[in-house]
Amino acid sequence: MHLAEDLARMDTPPGGARAPLQAVVERLRVTNPGVDLYLLDEAGRIRQRYFETAVLQRRQVALEPLRDFLAGKAPPILGDDPLNERATKVFSVAMRHSDGQPAGYVYAVLRGTA
């Protein structure tokens, strides 16, 4: 899944404003309704959320699986599901930048897995 990498290439202003990503996210939801997308800060806290169909059960995700994914660790790697405080899911992640500086992560969770 290259979704997170593609979205992370879109430079976002401080605070992760939704406008630059909104059109891409809306197209994604039409073509792949089984993906939930989050913008995380550098500590893994959820700063923006797309596809608000359920109540968040977590406000932060663990960074170790994200770092393992970014380091190229062999799958399967499961990350926290923000919609279920006990579940982990298949995910994709990429570093996000603002003004050329690291600003957290684009975190895409695949529904209906693991």
Side-chain angles (χ1 to χ4, degrees), residues 29-114:
R29 191 59 167 173
V30 170
T31 59
N32 193 347
V35 173
D36 291 333
L37 183 68
Y38 305 89
L39 298 182
L40 309 177
D41 68 12
E42 291 176 309
R45 291 181 297 256
I46 297 169
R47 293 299 180 200
Q48 295 290 335
R49 160 182 191 206
Y50 297 90
F51 319 137
E52 290 132 0
T53 58
V55 176
L56 281 176
Q57 298 298 309
R58 301 179 201 225
R59 302 282 178 203
Q60 185 169 359
V61 300
L63 292 178
E64 184 176 349
L66 281 64
R67 291 179 180 141
D68 287 347
F69 183 97
L70 292 169
K73 183 178 175 184
I77 303 171
L78 301 177
D80 290 340
D81 179 1
L83 301 180
N84 183 324
E85 64 187 63
R86 294 188 186 107
T88 56
K89 299 280 184 178
V90 172
F91 69 93
S92 181
V93 68
M95 287 296 300
R96 175 169 75 82
H97 294 85
S98 178
D99 296 326
Q101 300 298 314
Y105 305 89
V106 176
Y107 184 61
V109 176
L110 185 58
R111 296 263 131 252
T113 61

